[in-house]
Amino acid sequence: MTESCSDELRFSSCGREWRLRRADLEELWEHMDDESGQLWKDWQEDERLPYWAELWPSSLALAAWLAEHKEELAGKHCLDMGCGLGFTALVGRWLGAEVTAMDYDDEALRYARANAELNAVAGVNWQRMDWRNPTLPPRSLDIIWAGDILYERRFAAPVAAFLAHTLTREGKAWIAEPGRAVFACLPEILPEYGLVAQKIRTTPTWPLTRQEVPVPVSIWEIKRKKDVL
């Protein structure tokens, strides 16, 4: 059951109720047309779009996956890669993981911190970070997760390099994606970075906004190749 207003979502997931404050996506898009605004400057500099302002079906499917693997997460050093509104970071922390959550956008992190307080989930390490320039130590993360982060082919190499840099030898990454054709470029490029990917499952996932059919969200698991030390 979902309730929504202009700036808040209320919904059930992973056995509890959640509340998420969010920016008005239409208003953000309007600001993209304002050449005097910061969003316009960000777009001009790096083609940064405010995808973070919505809770996408991939995040819902990823949260359910994390809940199913609660025992595996407990006490592990984990990263939410592109946390947006902070939902899956909060789920992971609530399930007992030691969570760092990164995003490229300061405004996204502002909402994520507010959502942590709103849902009484403390202890997430929120960091502004560009996956092209990781500030985390090499091989420092047991588990990385991300939802719906690959929109363009040019993202694939930086994402692969980031995973190779930060995952421990036995670490893994879980990426949820809704069947975009562009995602195929990531599994293709991973072996160049000593990594391999496997599609674990595909789940029909209903978005929080009403639509006629569910979204088929796939969970991919990425690990180091066995011959890579």
Side-chain angles (χ1 to χ4, degrees), residues 9-228:
L9 292 169
R10 299 185 184 190
F11 61 98
S12 299
S13 179
C14 307
R16 63 161 283 180
E17 299 295 316
W18 299 91
R19 296 170 61 194
L20 291 184
R21 289 180 183 159
R22 56 179 181 166
D24 188 307
L25 190 56
E26 290 187 7
E27 185 176 327
L28 288 174
W29 282 112
E30 288 175 4
H31 284 311
M32 294 294 295
D33 295 328
D34 180 3
E35 295 189 18
S36 64
Q38 185 61 44
L39 285 173
W40 171 264
K41 294 183 178 68
D42 291 341
W43 163 250
Q44 289 292 91
E45 292 173 5
D46 206 20
E47 299 183 15
R48 228 194 299 178
L49 296 174
Y51 295 121
W52 60 265
E54 187 56 82
L55 185 66
W56 303 102
S58 291
S59 292
L60 296 171
L62 181 57
W65 177 264
L66 296 179
E68 290 177 28
H69 294 79
K70 176 180 178 179
E71 292 78 10
E72 196 169 350
L73 292 175
K76 295 292 180 62
H77 294 287
C78 301
L79 175 74
D80 188 322
M81 185 179 177
C83 66
L85 295 171
F87 174 55
T88 52
L90 297 179
V91 170
R93 179 60 183 155
W94 178 64
L95 293 171
E98 298 295 329
V99 179
T100 295
M102 60 172 278
D103 204 281
Y104 187 61
D105 197 300
D106 287 322
E107 189 73 353
L109 291 170
R110 185 173 74 84
Y111 275 90
R113 290 187 181 99
N115 286 328
E117 184 174 349
L118 190 63
N119 290 279
V121 178
V124 176
N125 176 22
W126 306 101
Q127 290 194 21
R128 185 185 184 280
M129 196 185 311
D130 184 338
W131 56 45
R132 294 169 297 188
N133 298 292
T135 57
L136 294 166
R139 303 203 176 194
S140 58
L141 297 167
D142 301 306
I143 301 174
I144 297 172
W145 61 75
D148 214 357
I149 60 171
L150 210 71
Y151 294 93
E152 299 181 40
R153 291 187 64 88
R154 66 190 178 94
F155 293 173
V159 167
F162 182 93
L163 296 177
H165 171 78
T166 52
L167 282 173
T168 63
R169 181 177 176 181
E170 301 298 329
K172 63 184 69 175
W174 294 321
I175 298 184
E177 59 88 21
R180 289 192 178 90
V182 70
F183 184 83
C185 63
L186 181 59
E188 290 174 359
I189 201 173
L190 287 175
E192 298 178 24
Y193 296 84
L195 302 168
V196 292
Q198 178 184 7
K199 185 190 291 188
I200 302 298
R201 74 178 185 195
T202 300
T203 305
T205 304
W206 290 98
L208 296 184
T209 54
R210 292 186 178 182
Q211 66 179 48
E212 293 183 0
V213 295
V215 177
V217 178
S218 296
I219 304 291
W220 289 75
E221 185 172 82
I222 298 171
K223 296 182 177 181
R224 295 192 184 278
K225 295 167 66 175
K226 291 183 178 180
D227 59 347
V228 176

